[in-house]
Amino acid sequence: MKEIIRLKPVFKERIWGGQKLKSYFGYHIPDKNIGECWAISAHKNGACDILNDHYKDENLLSLYEKHKNELFANDPSPVFPLLVKILDANQQLSVQIHPDDAYALEHEKDLGKTECWYVIDAKDQANIIYGHTAKTKEEFLNKVKNNDLSLWSYQNIKPHDFIYVPATTIHAINEGTFIYEVQESSDTTYRLYDYDRRDDQGNPRDLHLDKALDIINFPANKVIQETKEEKNDAFEMYHYVTNQYFNVNRYVIKSKATINFDTYALVSVLNGQGTILGQTIKKGEHFILPSTFKQQDIDIVGHLEIMVTLRVY
Ligand code: ZN
């Protein structure tokens, strides 16, 4: 395979969504509250179709199953392990927590979910919920039951911020936030608090306090994340995080940048256009650099801003 693997995003309607995926990236989406773009997904609830003629009729789920050795560096994960989304939060999301792999495997037969966010855009004074203030389980339960919002730790965010959300960290994205998200490909979420919102049928969404309390740390654990920067005339590179699943970077390319990886890479173009391996790429496109290209210097030329997430295992 000499081509990059181009993906067709899947869009999801959400009560908290909006129309920013259209206004920012120009995606053709229904005139509804669209909250999520599943940009690089092999999840059964929304796998991206492959756009290359060579693999037409495949989606990322089937491609991974059939060509794991050749394209995905013989990844030991039985399912495609990562999920890249773009989220448009027009209202606050529920406060939630995800288990780690061990808890998820035992209780849900699923992966856990470590995730992270790069803020593409945010309104003035936008914030997130990131952690909690309770010292004990009793204090936590009392405040949840009394709708006491002082339970949550709020953090202001602005464009270009990066937030690392390891499994078992309480979190919520609040309104006016447009983010790029990388996560383990898991659907296990324990909802802690939903502002008493009702669904179409007038029912509150389920809460999962019991399981959440199994995994919340008292007091909240402190997350450490440090961005490393490299800047020169040709490009700026920001390395945000490396863990046992992924290695997340952002490049602002003014003329050329060169990347090199050991497995395979998930790339999203946030702004501008250019070429990679002689193929044109532009804002709003998402693709995979398969392991056919591993351990080679790959030039990215042009004027563009991209997220490059490398698979780690
Ligand atoms: Zn989450």
Side-chain angles (χ1 to χ4, degrees):
M1 189 65 188
K2 289 279 189 290
E3 295 174 0
I4 62 176
I5 299 171
R6 295 178 185 268
L7 301 158
K8 184 177 183 213
V10 173
F11 297 96
K12 300 280 185 183
E13 193 177 348
R14 297 286 184 254
I15 48 172
W16 43 261
Q19 281 285 303
K20 186 142 178 160
L21 286 158
K22 181 179 180 182
S23 61
Y24 193 91
F25 283 118
Y27 294 131
H28 298 286
I29 55 173
D31 196 15
K32 293 179 175 157
N33 290 333
I34 304 299
E36 303 191 5
C37 165
W38 290 21
I40 301 179
S41 164
H43 198 280
K44 60 184 190 314
N45 297 342
C48 297
D49 287 335
I50 308 294
L51 295 170
N52 305 56
D53 284 343
H54 193 76
Y55 292 120
K56 71 171 193 297
D57 307 327
E58 303 282 0
N59 63 26
L60 189 52
L61 180 61
S62 62
L63 191 76
Y64 186 79
E65 282 171 355
K66 291 180 191 166
H67 301 281
K68 190 152 75 153
N69 292 5
E70 173 201 348
L71 301 177
F72 300 98
N74 204 11
D75 195 317
S77 175
V79 295
F80 186 79
L82 304 177
L83 178 54
V84 172
K85 296 181 183 177
I86 312 281
L87 304 182
D88 172 16
N90 222 4
Q91 290 177 26
Q92 53 206 354
L93 276 65
S94 56
V95 183
Q96 53 185 253
I97 190 169
H98 309 294
D100 60 18
D101 292 336
Y103 189 94
L105 195 67
E106 189 183 336
H107 293 86
E108 314 291 347
K109 307 246 180 307
D110 194 2
L111 290 175
K113 198 196 278 192
T114 284
E115 61 187 55
C116 60
W117 308 329
Y118 167 71
V119 180
I120 301 171
D121 200 9
K123 69 169 193 181
D124 279 352
Q125 311 294 322
N127 65 20
I128 56 171
I129 288 173
Y130 191 54
H132 67 86
T133 60
K135 296 201 173 48
T136 62
K137 200 178 267 197
E138 293 66 41
E139 182 185 350
F140 189 93
L141 276 172
N142 268 330
K143 286 188 168 172
V144 165
K145 284 180 184 136
N146 293 318
N147 288 317
D148 184 344
L149 297 182
S150 74
L151 175 56
W152 313 121
S153 293
Y154 290 84
Q155 179 175 316
N156 289 324
I157 54 161
K158 58 184 187 314
H160 308 309
D161 282 353
F162 184 86
I163 300 111
Y164 184 41
V165 189
T168 78
T169 308
I170 287 176
H171 60 280
I173 296 169
N174 291 334
E175 72 272 17
T177 310
F178 193 56
I179 67 171
Y180 165 95
E181 176 181 72
V182 185
Q183 53 177 239
E184 294 180 77
S185 186
S186 154
D187 223 6
T188 303
T189 294
Y190 302 142
R191 202 176 284 134
L192 288 160
Y193 185 69
D194 198 32
Y195 304 93
D196 235 347
R197 283 187 289 200
R198 308 279 149 159
D199 66 13
D200 295 345
Q201 274 76 47
N203 301 311
R205 297 198 287 177
D206 288 341
L207 298 180
H208 318 92
L209 267 175
D210 285 353
K211 282 180 173 168
L213 284 168
D214 283 345
I215 58 173
I216 297 170
N217 301 290
F218 298 100
N221 50 331
K222 190 122 188 74
V223 177
I224 294 167
Q225 181 271 329
E226 202 180 329
T227 300
K228 294 193 181 74
E229 300 182 13
E230 181 187 341
K231 292 186 181 182
N232 57 45
D233 288 345
F235 67 88
E236 296 168 12
M237 193 273 260
Y238 302 84
H239 170 65
Y240 296 115
V241 67
T242 301
N243 59 24
Q244 72 257 52
Y245 314 109
F246 47 68
N247 167 321
V248 182
N249 311 275
R250 182 170 64 99
Y251 287 81
V252 180
I253 302 170
K254 289 169 257 182
S255 55
K256 187 176 96 168
T258 303
I259 61 171
N260 195 313
F261 52 84
D262 292 327
T263 56
Y264 54 97
L266 316 186
V267 184
S268 297
V269 185
L270 300 185
N271 272 302
Q273 58 182 339
T275 59
I276 183 165
L277 297 156
Q279 297 156 62
T280 306
I281 54 173
K282 62 175 195 293
K283 180 174 180 172
E285 292 182 344
H286 308 272
F287 59 90
I288 294 173
L289 291 166
S291 51
T292 350
F293 298 114
K294 71 178 184 184
Q295 290 156 354
Q296 298 175 23
D297 284 344
I298 299 172
D299 290 342
I300 307 167
V301 178
H303 220 87
L304 67 170
E305 180 186 20
I306 57 175
M307 299 299 301
V308 179
T309 294
L310 311 180
R311 167 64 169 154
V312 175
Y313 61 77

